[in-house]
Amino acid sequence: ASAPDVTEDRVLALASAIEAESEHPIAVAIRHASRPAGHATAVEVLPGTGMVGTVDGQRVAVGRLDGSTPPPSLRSAISSYQVRGDTVVSVTCDDRVLGVIAVATPVRPDAAPAVESLHRMGLKTTILSGDAAPAVDAVAATVNIDWARSGLSPSEKLDALRAMQSDGHRVVMVGDGVNDAPALVAADVGCAVGSGSEVALSNSDVALLGSDLHGVPAAIGIAGSTSAIIVQNFGWAMGYNVSALPLAAAGLLDPLVAALALGL
């Protein structure tokens, strides 16, 4: 939707120019919707907010509605977009809101089964998102997430994660974007989706080779099995050392038998 004196094509084209180099899924969606209106210069990323740059001598910002005052003609459209759970992105030019872009995020078909697998493992799930509450709540309800936090900046995501840890929880953080990097580092285990940004991948402990979310419960299951085997081996080794080695040292046990016991 656009202001009365601006076409929707112009709004999309300006946004596409600013988002030309971004890896964020919303930026990719905007680029697919329109050709850029020229080349943007002096482009800056505003973490957790959006991007800003210069197009044809005008300062254009694309990002969250926070702090923007949309004209009355856009308020009805914004309300309808938010009610249906879309992410609403504002496009401003020299501090004037030219229009808003509604981005619908279809839920991935593997999301709900992956979350269900985590629940069967006895784990609780939480969404920490920078998107607006209606969009986040809609996704959380669809995939049966236990708790949802919305409108978070990267630092607020980090604070929320540390609050969980201070409550005694061990946290696995799954993310794919630049805004997730601080939380991926701070989590007990950071898990990056393989199709995510380079920043997320380089700041995670575990990187899924693909984008299939079933890899998350699979990785946790493998880690649990590995831990159980380590404890089992440690128990057998301690039992061997407590019993067999003193007997061998006292000459009551043939060294060959002791070596075979160690191998077993």
Side-chain angles (χ1 to χ4, degrees):
S2 61
D5 58 338
V6 183
T7 66
E8 292 183 357
D9 288 342
R10 178 63 177 170
V11 172
L12 281 170
L14 286 171
S16 182
I18 297 298
E19 302 278 14
E21 302 299 327
S22 175
E23 299 177 357
H24 196 283
I26 289 178
V28 174
I30 291 173
R31 292 201 301 271
H32 285 172
S34 175
R35 295 175 61 86
H39 177 67
T41 58
V43 177
E44 301 176 37
V45 177
L46 307 177
T49 301
M51 299 182 70
V52 63
T54 301
V55 180
D56 297 332
Q58 297 175 305
R59 198 64 171 162
V60 178
V62 181
R64 287 163 52 172
L65 281 169
D66 299 354
S68 302
T69 305
S73 60
L74 290 176
R75 291 172 188 169
S76 175
I78 292 171
S79 178
S80 64
Y81 296 152
Q82 290 178 332
V83 166
R84 72 189 191 194
D86 291 351
T87 297
V88 181
V89 178
S90 70
V91 181
T92 65
C93 184
D94 293 334
D95 297 325
R96 178 197 170 206
V97 178
L98 298 185
V100 294
I101 301 171
V103 182
T105 307
V107 176
R108 296 163 48 136
D110 57 343
V115 170
E116 178 59 28
S117 296
L118 293 173
H119 288 166
R120 286 198 301 267
M121 298 168 72
L123 303 178
K124 298 294 184 181
T125 52
T126 303
I127 289 180
L128 303 178
S129 175
D131 289 340
V136 176
D137 292 342
V139 171
T142 301
V143 300
N144 198 28
I145 295 288
D146 295 309
W147 298 290
R149 296 279 305 278
S150 55
L152 300 179
S153 66
S155 62
E156 289 171 333
K157 288 183 182 181
L158 186 57
D159 292 340
L161 188 147
R162 285 176 172 163
M164 296 179 200
Q165 292 173 320
S166 66
D167 289 337
H169 299 294
R170 287 177 293 177
V171 181
V172 177
M173 171 71 184
V174 182
D176 65 353
V178 173
N179 295 334
D180 298 324
L184 286 169
V185 172
D188 294 279
V189 177
C191 181
V193 178
S195 59
S197 68
E198 289 296 328
V199 175
L201 291 169
S202 62
N203 284 279
S204 61
D205 302 298
V206 178
L208 303 181
L209 295 179
S211 60
D212 188 348
L213 293 178
H214 285 99
V216 177
I220 295 173
I222 291 170
S225 298
T226 303
S227 178
I229 291 171
I230 290 172
V231 172
Q232 177 182 329
N233 287 345
F234 182 75
W236 280 108
M238 288 298 295
Y240 164 79
N241 285 314
V242 168
S243 59
L245 283 182
L247 293 175
L252 302 176
L253 186 66
D254 189 287
L256 180 59
V257 175
L260 291 174
L262 178 61
L264 291 174

